[in-house]
Every structure is written in structure tokens, then in C-alpha cells.
Amino acid sequence: VQLVESGGGVVQAGGSLRLSCATSGRTWDTYALGWFRQAPGKEREFVASISGSDGRDLYADSVKGRFTISRDNAKSTVYLQMNSLKPEDSDVYFCAGARDLQIGSLPDEYDFWGRGTQVSVSS
């Protein structure tokens, strides 16, 4: 079971990045997939989640209207399009999968995690 994030980097405030998370090792079609972020010394924070069954999505208030989560089950990949980035969006971003969940925002609900990708937004 693997989740591998990519697409992080350094961008100026107001810019965009698209994160990708490639999944493997099982059929992820029915799993909820989510993105979380974490700064050093802080708790992991929910960013967005997408349902496996009907494509419903859920966002943290801090990113609503700027970030979009999507999934391509044929490619076993989940994406996070991040627009209008702010310096406070700088964090390590993690992809996560939940076996018995439709959609959710709590880290404890997720069973599988990637290693993360760094996003840095300069002012």
C-alpha cells in the first residue's frame, strides 16, 4: 500500500501549484482520499477530502474557494489544485486514504498516509 505525493515547490504569493498523489497496492476507488498539511511543531491540519463513491468534496474554511480536490480513479491518483496561494499555506502536505469512510476531516479517520511534499509560498 503506497501513497506518493508530488508537485510541491516554491511559489510566490498569489501563484498556483498542483499536488498529485499516486496510489498503489489496492483498489482505492471506494476509499475516501484526503489532503492534510502540517507545520513543524504543530498538529496535522485538514485541507480537503473527496469521497470514493460519489465524488463529494469537503474543504477547510481556510482554503475554500482557492483549493480544489479531484480524483482520477483510472489513474489511481488524487490531485489538489491550489490557487491564490498565501504565505500561510506553506507547510508539508500529506495525502491520506481511508478504508471505511465516505468523507472526513479528522486525521484519525485515515488509515494510510504518504510521506508528504513541501509547499513554500514566499511573500
Side-chain angles (χ1 to χ4, degrees):
V1 176
Q2 274 197 314
L3 298 166
V4 180
E5 303 94 339
S6 62
V10 180
V11 63
Q12 287 191 330
S16 298
L17 282 174
R18 188 175 82 154
L19 305 183
S20 299
C21 175
T23 67
S24 63
R26 60 180 60 239
T27 302
W28 294 90
D29 295 14
T30 59
Y31 285 37
L33 292 171
W35 286 97
F36 292 77
R37 62 189 184 186
Q38 188 171 23
K42 293 190 176 181
E43 292 189 353
R44 197 159 292 188
E45 176 189 19
F46 171 71
V47 175
S49 176
I50 187 165
S51 166
S53 59
D54 56 11
R56 286 179 295 135
D57 52 22
L58 180 69
Y59 296 94
D61 288 343
S62 59
V63 306
K64 202 173 293 184
R66 299 188 298 123
F67 291 11
T68 302
I69 189 171
S70 62
R71 64 193 293 165
D72 185 337
N73 287 337
K75 295 182 178 179
S76 300
T77 301
V78 61
Y79 304 97
L80 185 69
Q81 178 66 44
M82 305 186 296
N83 298 329
S84 302
L85 282 161
K86 305 175 182 180
E88 51 265 43
D89 294 318
S90 297
D91 269 327
V92 178
Y93 283 71
F94 296 89
C95 173
R99 183 171 43 221
D100 297 316
L101 182 71
Q102 284 295 309
I103 198 168
S105 61
L106 300 177
D108 288 347
E109 295 177 304
Y110 288 78
D111 306 292
F112 307 102
W113 293 85
R115 293 189 173 185
T117 184
Q118 177 71 51
V119 171
S120 298
V121 184
S122 61
S123 56

